């Protein structure tokens, strides 16, 4: 179960911790290094997917590649970072969430054919509209950087409710649930 990683600035010093269901647990240095490695892997994977859907020569002409990429981004890729932010304290997830948001925006930009960063440089309303829920005519793309505290709190509350004993005894000694 234990995992050993080395930091790039000190390759001779091993960092010890454990990885449980993809979430690193250990001291802050270990968690940050694991997050750095996960960020690199996610960015590499998202770039690979984006390049495959960008290149029309690799996708059959009968397959609507932009629609497929849009569905994959909105339904699958967009939520992956939330899992890590739910289980790792927010003070450690800032760099991860910023990089993750940029990678998701690159996927959305490829799917829509619009350079969102260039558009947002001229009008901040673009990012606000991206973040509005689909039912309110937005795109429903949430910023992990903005939501990381809420994600962590949601994960803590969800976990605490399973631990806290909700049974108690009333004045007669009867267990009440």
């Amino acid at each position: 179960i234990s995992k050993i990683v080395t930091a790039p600035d000190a390759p001779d010093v091993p960092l010890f911790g454990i990885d449980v269901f993809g979430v690193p647990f250990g001291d802050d240095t270990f968690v940050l290094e694991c997050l750095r490695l996960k960020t690199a892997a996610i960015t590499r994977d998202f770039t690979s997917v984006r390049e495959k859907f960008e290149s029309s020569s690799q996708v059959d002409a009968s397959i609507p590649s932009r629609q497929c990429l849009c569905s994959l981004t909105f339904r699958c890729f967009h939520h992956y970072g939330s899992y890590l932010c739910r289980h790792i304290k927010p003070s450690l997830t800032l760099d991860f969430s910023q990089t993750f948001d940029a990678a998701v925006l690159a996927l959305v930009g490829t799917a829509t054919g619009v350079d969102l960063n260039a558009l947002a440089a001229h009008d901040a309303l673009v990012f606000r509209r991206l973040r509005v829920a689909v039912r309110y005519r937005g795109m429903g793309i949430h910023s992990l950087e903005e939501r990381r505290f809420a994600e962590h709190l949601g994960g803590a509350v969800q976990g605490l409710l399973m631990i806290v004993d909700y049974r108690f005894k009333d004045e007669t000694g009867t267990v009440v649930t």
Side-chain angles (χ1 to χ4, degrees):
I1 286 181
S2 66
K3 184 175 182 180
I4 303 171
V5 296
T6 57
D9 54 346
D12 299 338
V13 180
L15 305 171
F16 296 96
I18 60 171
D19 192 283
V20 180
F21 296 112
V23 179
F25 291 97
D27 67 354
D28 289 355
T29 311
F30 173 79
V31 173
L32 283 170
E33 184 58 25
C34 286
L35 275 177
R36 188 188 67 75
L37 295 172
K38 285 181 184 296
T39 302
I42 289 169
T43 304
R44 184 179 58 249
D45 292 346
F46 282 9
T47 301
S48 175
V49 168
R50 193 176 80 245
E51 287 171 354
K52 287 193 184 343
F53 279 98
E54 256 179 354
S55 172
S56 59
S57 64
Q58 293 182 359
V59 179
D60 191 300
S62 64
I63 298 173
S65 60
R66 283 188 173 182
Q67 289 174 347
C68 290
L69 181 58
C70 208
S71 292
L72 278 172
T73 302
F74 293 150
R75 306 272 187 251
C76 302
F77 300 146
H78 166 237
H79 300 288
Y80 178 71
S82 297
Y83 176 74
L84 289 171
C85 285
R86 287 181 80 78
H87 302 291
I88 299 172
K89 60 185 176 180
S91 61
L92 301 178
T93 58
L94 178 63
D95 290 339
F96 169 76
S97 60
Q98 288 172 338
T99 305
F100 186 84
D101 284 346
V104 168
L105 283 178
L107 287 171
V108 172
T110 301
T112 60
V114 176
D115 184 1
L116 297 171
N117 289 319
L119 212 67
H122 298 290
D123 190 1
L125 183 63
V126 170
F127 281 128
R128 287 184 34 211
R129 190 62 182 247
L130 274 173
R131 306 214 188 307
V132 172
V134 173
R135 67 179 175 268
Y136 298 121
R137 299 179 190 224
M139 288 188 84
I141 297 292
H142 304 291
S143 168
L144 190 59
E145 180 183 359
E146 294 171 2
R147 294 173 52 102
R148 63 195 170 96
F149 290 96
E151 290 287 352
H152 188 69
L153 183 62
V157 168
Q158 209 171 24
L160 281 176
L161 290 178
M162 303 306 263
I163 296 171
V164 174
D165 186 11
Y166 59 90
R167 295 174 289 162
F168 62 93
K169 294 182 181 179
D170 62 9
E171 57 275 347
T172 64
T174 307
V175 175
V176 180
T177 57

